[in-house]
Amino acid sequence: NTLNTLRYVGRVKEPTPLEEGRHSQQVAAISVNKVSSSKDDLIQTLEVQNKSSEDVIQYHEVMEDLIEMYDEFVCYNNKNLATEQECINQKAELNEKADHPDSHVDEYVDNLSAIISKQIDGLHGQQKMLVEFRQRLTAEETASKRVKRLHI
């Protein structure tokens, strides 16, 4: 999925209740006008139409969720990059101070440990978000396949 594909769903015009009502009436009228249709065929047709609209609605919900998660992930990643750069700068300063004869090894180790812990926490957060984002991509793919089978 590309960003443009993800953003497209935000621009898709949602049908108004009036348009949905017209669509339902048209489907019902077409179904009723079929001379060879029995009552059972009509019921089955209406059930398929209802299932189809449920699949489309679910697809749109999954896409909205995916776009929101994508935006959150990019924002989190940008913040983590800034934190990572800060940690790199702190490590560089720490190493400069360690080269001085009056530096304390214990202080160096404690500070370095704190910086590395901060980096690890950021990576764990990114990994967690990435796993969740992949799950949402899979859900979107499944919902997309359902909608494509509808031939809408």
Side-chain angles (χ1 to χ4, degrees):
N1 294 310
T2 64
L3 179 59
N4 288 336
T5 302
L6 296 175
R7 298 250 184 242
Y8 174 74
V9 81
R11 296 190 308 264
V12 173
K13 180 185 174 213
E14 294 292 329
T16 65
L18 181 62
E19 290 170 339
E20 287 177 356
R22 284 185 195 150
H23 177 71
S24 297
Q25 289 172 354
Q26 290 170 348
V27 169
I30 290 168
S31 298
V32 170
N33 289 334
K34 289 183 181 177
V35 177
S36 63
S37 293
S38 67
K39 183 178 180 181
D40 292 336
D41 290 340
L42 177 59
I43 290 170
Q44 184 178 7
T45 301
L46 292 174
E47 287 174 353
V48 168
Q49 288 295 329
N50 187 37
K51 178 64 175 156
S52 298
S53 56
E54 288 174 10
D55 287 341
V56 171
I57 290 168
Q58 181 185 11
Y59 174 75
H60 283 286
E61 289 172 353
V62 167
M63 284 301 295
E64 287 174 3
D65 190 40
L66 184 63
I67 291 169
E68 183 179 326
M69 177 69 187
Y70 177 80
D71 290 340
E72 289 172 10
F73 182 69
V74 169
C75 182
Y76 184 86
N77 191 42
N78 285 335
K79 287 179 184 177
N80 198 52
L81 285 171
T83 301
E84 186 67 27
Q85 185 61 47
E86 180 184 314
C87 288
I88 290 170
N89 292 339
Q90 289 173 352
K91 282 179 170 180
E93 289 175 23
L94 197 58
N95 283 342
E96 282 181 26
K97 291 178 183 177
D99 287 340
H100 290 41
D102 60 341
S103 69
H104 300 281
V105 175
D106 290 343
E107 187 178 311
Y108 173 80
V109 170
D110 290 342
N111 289 336
L112 185 59
S113 178
I115 294 169
I116 291 171
S117 292
K118 188 175 183 180
Q119 289 176 303
I120 290 171
D121 289 345
L123 291 173
H124 283 158
Q126 279 184 301
Q127 183 65 32
K128 182 180 174 184
M129 286 190 82
L130 186 59
V131 167
E132 189 176 335
F133 187 69
R134 284 183 192 228
Q135 290 170 347
R136 292 184 190 194
L137 280 173
T138 301
E140 182 275 332
E141 186 176 322
T142 302
S144 177
K145 286 178 182 177
R146 284 189 190 131
V147 170
K148 284 180 183 178
R149 280 187 255 155
L150 299 174
H151 303 291
I152 294 179

